[in-house]
Amino acid sequence: MKTRAAGTLLLALLTLAGSPAHALLEMSESGAARFESPGSAKETPFGEKLRAGHEALRKLDYPRAEALFNEAAQINPQSPLPALGHAESARIRNLQDDVRKWLKQALDIAPKSADALTAWGRWQYAQKNYPEAEKAWKAAIAADARAAIPLVDLGDLNYNVRHNIDVAADFYRRALQINPRLGGAHYALGTIWLDKKAPDKAIGEFEESARLSPGNPLPQHGLGRAYQMQQSYKAAHAAYDRALAVSADYYPARLAKGDVFLAQGEARQAVGEYQAVARAQPKLYDAQLKLGMAQQQAGQLREAQAAYQAAVRLNPDLPLPYNNMAWMAATDPANKPSDAVLEWARKAVALAPKVADFQDTLGWVHFKRGESVEAIKVLEKVSRAEGRQSAGIHYHLGSAYAAAGRTRDAVTAFKTALKLDPNFAEAGDARAQLAKLEGNARP
């Protein structure tokens, strides 16, 4: 059975929240700096109040946390750390005006504090005010040449926003020169090595990240991705299992296990993994989409259609579910594609007009509806552009030509298909149709 997929689906990795006490130093997207924490005060009476305040925040006991931060401020009014604690309390409660107020107070108290400048940069980053974030982090580095976390932040800025992975890698390496125990920086470098298709180098970074941050599932997930890239599926499963052992709710690892099962041709086992995520995360369209793909591959077509429909209810702008529903209907020998099926195929093309497979599906739906002229229009166009190297598309075009009585064009299309790939899925039928057409053409 032919399953349509527009390449590997990107996982929507949701980084699990770390210690709330340090979340203002954990607002970047890549996950690198989420492993880290700001410089902590020594365990003096001032430090004890701060620690206790952050412990109260972890328990969401905001009144006690704020009282403890106030007591810390009375002990050392020259430190910005109590104000940063108040800012974090406001951030957790999504009181953005208060976050800004407390961050500004921290900067008023200590305008050259690397911690305060770093936190201010993180908040600006979260507001997508990237120039101000960069300015703050550079100021933090100027204030303290040994401040590693703002270097990680600058790496995240270049990785996530500017998409300059080489510059990002340089910032991460600079941070590690200052503090080689930054698990997040190792994780980020591992991710960059995956981007560069170098899983062997990524594995070393992820292993070090996992050693330094054993309570975070991301390094194990990264290891799984690297092993998966190497097609070391047993090792990938083991890494994803370790991520789930760290955090049973970390569903990206379970989605990834499903991906590995699909790569191994174990569609039914993939279905089980995706179903578990879909039950736990009913609003996650990726889970429904992947579930549909696995069920389609397993031959569970009715269930696949239900999953695809659930996916587009959650995200109507996903082209792949529309395409796959149309493809399943177009390849069902028992039924002629309905008007709804044609609309699905058109919707997929409208959402992703440059995907050759989607145009091919639309053309094949027209063909199966007996609309050979419309099929030829679609298939001719794609066969000369994005689909010119696709044997299947030329085969479909040949079938449409044959149905329209254009024998010479059909022969050319079938020969092109077989030349591109003598063993493609429909090669046998292409040869049979070609022999019949050439036989009929003889006097």
Side-chain angles (χ1 to χ4, degrees):
M1 184 200 72
K2 186 173 183 179
T3 302
R4 293 297 178 93
T8 304
L9 292 169
L10 295 177
L11 295 177
L13 292 180
L14 294 185
T15 304
L16 297 183
S19 164
H22 303 138
L24 278 172
L25 292 177
E26 296 173 352
M27 286 184 177
S28 64
E29 296 172 2
S30 75
R34 283 187 173 89
F35 294 79
E36 328 305 354
S37 60
S40 58
K42 295 180 180 179
E43 201 67 352
T44 60
F46 171 72
E48 289 176 2
K49 296 294 184 182
L50 279 179
R51 179 182 54 76
H54 287 306
E55 288 294 335
L57 273 188
R58 290 187 183 94
K59 298 174 183 178
L60 305 183
D61 187 348
Y62 304 118
R64 176 167 171 74
E66 293 181 356
L68 287 162
F69 293 142
N70 286 334
E71 291 175 19
Q74 290 175 356
I75 295 172
N76 185 357
Q78 304 305 313
S79 171
L81 296 182
L84 292 180
H86 281 296
E88 177 55 18
S89 176
R91 188 201 68 83
I92 295 173
R93 290 176 288 166
N94 197 30
L95 302 174
Q96 295 301 320
D97 289 343
D98 285 350
V99 174
R100 180 183 179 88
K101 179 190 75 173
W102 285 111
L103 289 176
K104 292 291 287 184
Q105 182 167 321
L107 287 170
D108 288 342
I109 293 169
K112 293 186 178 181
S113 162
D115 281 342
L117 287 164
T118 299
W120 177 251
R122 285 293 179 85
W123 187 73
Q124 294 289 346
Y125 186 98
Q127 307 303 310
K128 302 188 184 300
N129 192 349
Y130 303 123
E132 283 298 315
E134 182 179 32
K135 180 181 176 182
W137 292 329
K138 288 184 175 180
I141 295 166
D144 182 358
R146 300 295 298 170
I149 293 177
L151 287 168
V152 176
D153 291 336
L154 287 166
D156 288 351
L157 174 67
N158 280 279
Y159 185 89
N160 292 312
V161 178
R162 295 175 178 163
H163 309 296
N164 192 329
I165 63 175
D166 291 324
V167 172
D170 181 63
F171 278 117
Y172 296 137
R173 292 190 180 103
R174 285 173 59 188
L176 287 169
Q177 288 174 355
I178 295 171
N179 182 0
R181 296 186 58 79
L182 298 178
H186 285 290
Y187 170 82
L189 285 174
T191 300
I192 288 173
W193 282 123
L194 287 186
D195 291 341
K196 291 176 174 286
K197 309 299 181 187
D200 53 330
K201 294 181 178 179
I203 286 170
E205 297 291 351
F206 288 136
E207 286 179 338
E208 182 65 6
S209 181
R211 185 184 72 80
L212 293 167
S213 305
N216 194 307
L218 283 173
Q220 296 296 345
H221 190 164
L223 278 169
R225 292 174 60 206
Y227 289 131
Q228 192 171 345
M229 189 176 289
Q230 292 180 327
Q231 298 185 352
S232 301
Y233 297 133
K234 183 177 180 180
H237 276 301
Y240 293 138
D241 285 339
R242 290 193 297 272
L244 290 167
V246 171
S247 175
D249 295 331
Y250 184 66
Y251 68 81
R254 195 165 298 284
L255 284 177
K257 281 181 66 67
D259 295 344
V260 175
F261 279 129
L262 272 189
Q264 292 176 294
E266 301 288 347
R268 291 183 181 275
Q269 288 180 275
V271 167
E273 298 293 347
Y274 297 145
Q275 282 179 328
V277 177
R279 286 193 294 268
Q281 301 287 335
K283 295 184 179 180
L284 185 68
Y285 62 81
D286 266 1
Q288 296 293 344
L289 175 55
K290 287 172 177 279
L291 176 58
M293 293 170 65
Q295 288 169 328
Q296 184 179 353
Q297 188 169 320
Q300 302 169 1
L301 303 186
R302 183 176 299 176
E303 293 84 352
Q305 179 163 326
Y308 288 142
Q309 288 176 333
V312 296
R313 281 196 299 271
L314 292 168
N315 185 350
D317 293 329
L318 285 176
L320 188 56
Y322 293 112
N323 176 80
N324 286 5
M325 288 191 292
W327 179 253
M328 288 191 298
T331 53
D332 180 0
N335 295 293
K336 176 181 176 181
S338 66
D339 291 346
V341 170
L342 180 59
E343 284 306 308
W344 290 337
R346 285 173 171 163
K347 180 77 170 179
V349 170
L351 289 169
K354 292 187 178 182
V355 177
D357 275 352
F358 295 175
Q359 297 176 62
D360 183 37
T361 296
L362 176 58
W364 200 238
V365 168
H366 277 304
F367 174 77
K368 295 300 289 285
R369 284 167 59 88
E371 300 163 353
S372 298
V373 173
E374 290 84 352
I376 289 170
K377 289 179 182 177
V378 174
L379 294 168
E380 277 185 339
K381 181 179 178 181
V382 69
S383 71
R384 295 167 183 165
E386 292 88 356
R388 59 185 176 275
Q389 297 298 317
S390 169
I393 287 174
H394 286 281
Y395 162 75
H396 288 156
L397 179 58
S399 300
Y401 280 143
R406 294 172 56 174
T407 301
R408 182 177 299 178
D409 290 332
V411 168
T412 299
F414 287 135
K415 286 183 175 179
T416 300
L418 292 166
K419 182 179 179 180
L420 287 169
D421 184 358
N423 301 308
F424 76 101
E426 297 90 352
D429 186 65
R431 290 189 178 92
Q433 290 200 59
L434 183 60
K436 182 178 179 180
L437 290 169
E438 291 183 323
N440 291 340
R442 293 191 185 101

